[in-house]
Amino acid sequence: MGGSARPAPAPSNPTSDPIRAAAAEIAMMIQQAREEEAQKSRIAIDKAQWEAEHLRVEGMKVKETLSKEIEALKAELSALKKKKWEKTGIKKIQRATKEHAVVCF
């Protein structure tokens, strides 16, 4: 029985098939584009995280400065109230003294 022998299939070498070679090149280009976009995204995320930390630190500095300013203003207001009370109290004492002096004479 003299069956015909089939030739062995040619090894699949993408460089020998122009379509496969083009497909492999396109796939590689797509992968590189994905990696580049991923890198850009990582850089953007790192930058955003740095900016957020910078703003947090700046916010803490502003809060500290404002707290000090508020305390200073409270102290100043308290001193002014005390001074006003002292003046008002002295005037009341002077008026009372004058009235009492008038009443006594």
Side-chain angles (χ1 to χ4, degrees):
M1 305 210 231
S4 64
R6 294 178 137 206
S12 64
N13 184 351
T15 55
S16 65
D17 183 1
I19 294 175
R20 286 187 181 171
E25 187 176 340
I26 290 170
M28 186 173 54
M29 290 170 57
I30 290 172
Q31 183 61 31
Q32 286 175 343
R34 286 180 181 158
E35 289 172 1
E36 287 172 5
E37 288 302 313
Q39 180 64 21
K40 287 179 186 176
S41 295
R42 284 190 291 274
I43 290 170
I45 289 169
D46 288 346
K47 183 179 178 184
Q49 288 174 336
W50 181 87
E51 288 175 355
E53 179 63 17
H54 179 71
L55 288 173
R56 186 187 69 78
V57 169
E58 286 298 313
M60 289 174 56
K61 288 178 184 177
V62 168
K63 181 182 176 185
E64 184 178 323
T65 301
L66 288 175
S67 294
K68 288 178 183 177
E69 288 180 15
I70 288 170
E71 288 303 315
L73 288 172
K74 284 180 180 179
E76 186 179 346
L77 179 61
S78 178
L80 289 172
K81 283 182 178 180
K82 183 178 180 183
K83 190 174 181 180
K84 181 181 178 184
W85 179 84
E86 288 172 354
K87 284 183 179 179
T88 305
I90 291 170
K91 286 182 182 178
K92 284 182 181 178
I93 292 170
Q94 288 172 343
R95 266 191 252 127
T97 306
K98 284 180 185 177
E99 290 173 6
H100 182 67
V102 170
V103 171
C104 291
F105 291 107

